[in-house]
Amino acid sequence: MSKYVLIGSKGCGSVVIELAMLKAGAEFELEEIPYLEPGPDRDRLLELNPLGQVPTLIMPDGDVMTESAAIILHLADAFPDAKLAPATSDRQRPAFLRWLIYLVSEIYPTSTFSDDPARWQLPKDAQDGYKRTVDQYRKTLWGHVEDVADTPCFLGNDFSAIDLYIAVMRNWRPGRKEFSQSFPKLTEIADNIANDPMFSGVLKRNFDT
Ligand SMILES: N[C@@H](CCC(=O)N[C@@H](CS)C(=O)NCC(=O)O)C(=O)O
């Protein structure tokens, strides 16, 4: 095997990695699967990643990587010309690391733990209120990102993979319309990515926009 195999699903965090692969010019194959649906695809995914999450990446040497931020940092190392991350000596590097990890550890899990409250045994009559509370909290979390965001890229003039996350995650609940009303700088960053011919096709395919 000489290329990456990216296991992903429509509209998921795997789209961030697909965009990063394009930017890196990495050779990869995308395997889109219904990641939550019981069946052979999910069984195989669980063998590769016990959390059954996408993105799951099979490396050219057959090793497996999970966790989108780790995959981004790997791609940044393996394909430095793509500038997915500021160089270690760059003064933007600490801010990049801080907000990359914030996106995956603070904001991303608000989807995991509230998209389907029934999964977590929440009583039916509590589910709507819970979702509203989490949505409000997610809005607060995004607000902190908006407060520190620069434009046209999150880090100012320099593209980084954080821009890719924003371009993907703005489509998640409660949706990009509400997102654009609350977060103009993040919307500008996401629009710049969506208008880039390198990324526009993948974003259209995933988010029907
Ligand atoms: N921390 C992981 C989160 C990945 C994740 O939660 N992916 C979602 C799809 S967007 C998923 O697979 N959810 C299924 C689950 O958590 O059971 C990452 O950043 O890659």
Side-chain angles (χ1 to χ4, degrees):
M1 199 190 337
S2 63
K3 54 183 168 186
Y4 291 94
V5 177
L6 171 61
I7 302 177
S9 259
K10 188 177 178 202
C12 284
S14 48
V15 182
V16 174
I17 303 304
E18 188 178 353
L19 297 173
M21 289 276 179
L22 292 176
K23 181 77 172 147
E27 261 200 85
F28 74 104
E29 193 181 301
L30 175 65
E31 272 185 30
E32 276 197 345
I33 63 163
Y35 65 113
L36 290 174
E37 202 177 292
D41 285 333
R42 179 160 174 83
D43 291 347
R44 174 163 172 262
L45 177 63
L46 284 167
E47 271 170 32
L48 297 167
N49 175 357
L51 295 185
Q53 291 183 339
V54 294
T56 289
L57 185 70
I58 307 175
M59 312 274 280
D61 65 5
D63 281 354
V64 174
M65 271 198 91
T66 65
E67 297 302 332
S68 60
I71 294 170
I72 288 293
L73 291 170
H74 160 69
L75 292 175
D77 287 344
F79 301 91
D81 291 350
K83 302 211 178 303
L84 291 165
T88 44
S89 56
D90 192 313
R91 67 168 290 279
Q92 300 266 43
R93 176 86 172 183
F96 168 80
L97 291 173
R98 174 182 177 190
W99 294 104
L100 173 72
I101 298 307
Y102 180 97
L103 289 172
V104 296
S105 67
E106 302 295 337
I107 300 186
Y108 204 147
T110 64
S111 296
T112 310
F113 294 110
S114 73
D115 278 354
D116 177 17
R119 176 181 175 187
W120 310 105
Q121 311 293 329
L122 216 70
K124 216 170 178 28
D125 61 355
Q127 292 180 8
D128 285 349
Y130 173 73
K131 265 193 160 183
R132 272 196 304 277
T133 306
V134 176
D135 283 350
Q136 192 52 46
Y137 181 59
R138 182 190 297 114
K139 197 169 173 183
T140 303
L141 292 173
W142 274 121
H144 299 316
V145 187
E146 173 79 9
D147 287 346
V148 299
D150 214 327
T151 56
C153 303
F154 177 77
L155 295 176
N157 288 323
D158 296 331
F159 162 85
S160 76
I162 288 180
D163 304 336
L164 303 181
Y165 275 95
I166 294 168
V168 169
M169 291 171 78
R170 66 140 158 196
N171 296 286
W172 296 352
R173 222 178 68 244
R176 63 196 287 168
K177 189 161 169 234
E178 205 169 313
F179 191 94
S180 67
Q181 285 158 359
S182 305
F183 310 119
K185 285 190 283 174
L186 301 181
T187 298
E188 183 183 335
I189 294 163
D191 284 345
N192 287 334
I193 295 294
N195 291 331
D196 184 327
M198 182 181 284
F199 305 125
S200 55
V202 169
L203 288 166
K204 278 201 185 92
R205 195 186 81 233
N206 279 278
F207 302 110
D208 305 316
T209 51

